Amino acid sequence: MPVLDAIEKGIAKARDLGELSRLNGEAAMRERHRRECFTALGEKYYDAHKHGYIPECAVLYEELDAIDREMELLQREMQKVRKVTVCPGCGAKLTSYGVFCPFCGAERVKKSVCPECGAALDPDARYCVNCGKQTADPGNGRG
């Protein structure tokens, strides 16, 4: 059934490309929002400076922090779809599935990353603190 395998791989690849397109669109939207926040922040500071006071911008700071967190999650999702991992030793983006990083030789630790969202996990975590996905079988430790 090599033809069916090829078709299934093609369908999976098309699904991954669609997901990457969606994630890139969301990232672009958040980046535009981020630039709008920085523009508003700059305008507030300019107006405040012109009138001799310091503006309160906590709301904009919080909004920018939220956007940055969302962007980080989107990047992790894109890495997951692209099947990219990050070396714990040097931070290089790796697409191969070897045990050691080809750049620094650090051992790649796959069990410490959530399979759903890519967030770092404690070694004995049963659930991801980021997305809530169960990461271990309660009966036998790691899942």
Side-chain angles (χ1 to χ4, degrees), residues 89-110:
C90 67
K93 292 182 180 178
L94 308 171
T95 54
S96 65
Y97 297 99
V99 177
F100 297 95
C101 174
F103 301 104
C104 73
E107 187 170 4
R108 296 168 68 175
V109 182
K110 291 187 179 182

Side-chain angles (χ1 to χ4, degrees), residues 4-139:
L4 289 178
D5 289 342
I7 291 171
E8 287 176 8
K9 285 182 183 176
I11 291 170
K13 183 128 181 129
R15 190 175 23 240
D16 286 350
L17 288 174
E19 180 66 3
L20 280 175
S21 178
R22 182 188 72 77
L23 291 169
N24 280 323
E26 283 189 35
M29 181 179 68
R30 293 211 176 44
E31 186 57 40
R32 280 191 300 276
H33 186 194
R34 189 172 189 267
R35 281 194 304 268
E36 290 168 359
C37 287
F38 275 119
T39 299
L41 187 62
E43 288 173 0
K44 265 190 160 191
Y45 265 89
Y46 175 76
D47 288 341
H49 178 70
K50 198 164 136 179
H51 295 96
Y53 68 92
I54 298 175
E56 175 55 46
C57 298
V59 172
L60 282 171
Y61 294 148
E62 289 171 12
E63 194 166 344
L64 284 165
D65 285 343
I67 292 168
D68 288 345
R69 285 191 303 273
E70 291 170 356
M71 293 291 287
E72 186 176 322
L73 288 174
L74 287 170
Q75 290 296 327
R76 286 182 186 160
E77 286 183 48
M78 285 188 255
Q79 288 178 344
K80 182 180 167 192
V81 172
R82 290 182 180 130
K83 296 170 181 53
V84 172
T85 60
V86 177
C87 172
C90 67
K93 292 182 180 178
L94 308 171
T95 54
S96 65
Y97 297 99
V99 177
F100 297 95
C101 174
F103 301 104
C104 73
E107 187 170 4
R108 296 168 68 175
V109 182
K110 291 187 179 182
K111 290 185 178 179
S112 65
V113 177
C114 174
E116 183 67 25
C117 71
L121 298 172
D122 290 332
D124 16 322
R126 292 177 45 201
Y127 292 89
C128 176
V129 296
N130 191 53
C131 71
K133 176 162 176 65
Q134 184 172 354
T135 60
D137 181 9

